[in-house]
Structure formats: C-alpha cells, structure tokens
Amino acid sequence: MLSVLVAVAACSPEAQAPATETPAVAAPDAAASPGFAGSYVFASDNLTAAACSLVLEPDNVEGSTGIFRVTLGEALITAGESRTVSCVEAYPILSTLTGWQATEDEGVRLLGAQGESIAEFSPAGRIFQALPSSDGATYLLSPEDTLNNPQ
C-alpha cells in the first residue's frame, strides 16, 4: 500500500500539467483558504485498483467564495499491469470535479460542475474518509506528507 502511495506522489501535479481544465481563478485569499489546502492522494478504500494524485488549491474558483480549485494529476493503476492513467479514467466520479470546500466537521467536500457534492470526506486521523460517496463506493483522501510521516 505504501509503495502505491509513494509512486503516486511521484506523479504529483506540481511536476506535470493538469490532467483536466480548471475554472478561472480569483486571487488567493489567505484568510479564507482552509489550512488543509495541499497535495493529496485519492483512492478507493481497498487501495488495490488505483491511487490518484490531486491538489486542493488555496485559490477561490472565480465567482465562488469559499469554493476552491482542484488540480488533478495522474492515477497509478496497480491491479494487473502497473501503469498511469488520468484520474478521471481511474475514477469516473471525478469527471465533473471543479472545486472543493471545507465542511463544518473539519472535513473536505469535493464539488461537481453544478455545485453538487461528489464526495464528502470526514476526518479519520490524518486521513479523510467518504462513506458512501455518490457512486456507492468508499474513498480515502490522504495528505501526501503522510507518506513520509504516517503518525
């Protein structure tokens, strides 16, 4: 499991062009940016199929106070022959992903193009867990820094 997450970290969006177009961005508002903006790994709870790199950006989606940009990277497929694909190919649930916002319970909500909730993650230690998501699956959202400091 750790090797999958380490390999996904190597596919980090900071080193690559975004896999999807993102909405226009307003200037960052440091006071409104949630503290957990940063690089994450999105994966199913079984961690055997794919792990996707994504960045929760601190920039507001233009015209949307409190909704922030998301940049998708690539997904590492580990079932069968290892290969990388787009996050949307690995997780079609992310096909309309356009933003994120903090939740009242200190979690993260991923939002679609129409403002709908794609998945709502609640904190479970340093990892966030969505139970169940809009497609009936359970997903994990793990900060990339947990790869080097899992405690």
Side-chain angles (χ1 to χ4, degrees), residues 4-115:
V4 169
L5 296 176
V6 170
V8 168
C11 297
S12 177
E14 286 88 10
Q16 304 173 15
T20 60
E21 290 186 31
T22 56
V25 184
D29 180 353
S33 296
F36 42 69
S39 299
Y40 288 80
V41 175
F42 178 95
S44 62
D45 63 346
N46 64 18
L47 297 175
T48 59
C52 170
S53 63
L54 61 84
V55 177
L56 302 180
E57 302 286 354
D59 307 319
N60 284 314
V61 170
E62 189 173 318
S64 300
T65 303
I67 299 175
F68 302 92
R69 288 187 327 120
V70 175
T71 303
L72 291 174
E74 291 187 328
L76 176 65
I77 304 290
T78 56
E81 183 179 325
S82 291
R83 60 190 173 99
T84 57
V85 298
S86 73
C87 286
V88 171
E89 184 178 341
Y91 294 106
I93 189 173
L94 299 176
S95 66
T96 64
L97 179 63
T98 59
W100 70 278
Q101 64 186 180
T103 63
E104 290 181 11
D105 69 349
E106 299 182 14
V108 175
R109 180 179 300 118
L110 298 181
L111 301 169
Q114 303 301 314

Side-chain angles (χ1 to χ4, degrees), residues 114-143:
Q114 303 301 314
E116 75 279 11
S117 178
I118 292 174
E120 189 162 325
F121 294 88
S122 296
R126 294 202 61 215
I127 295 174
F128 297 92
Q129 185 174 29
L131 294 172
S133 65
S134 62
D135 67 357
T138 301
Y139 294 107
L140 303 174
L141 192 61
S142 175

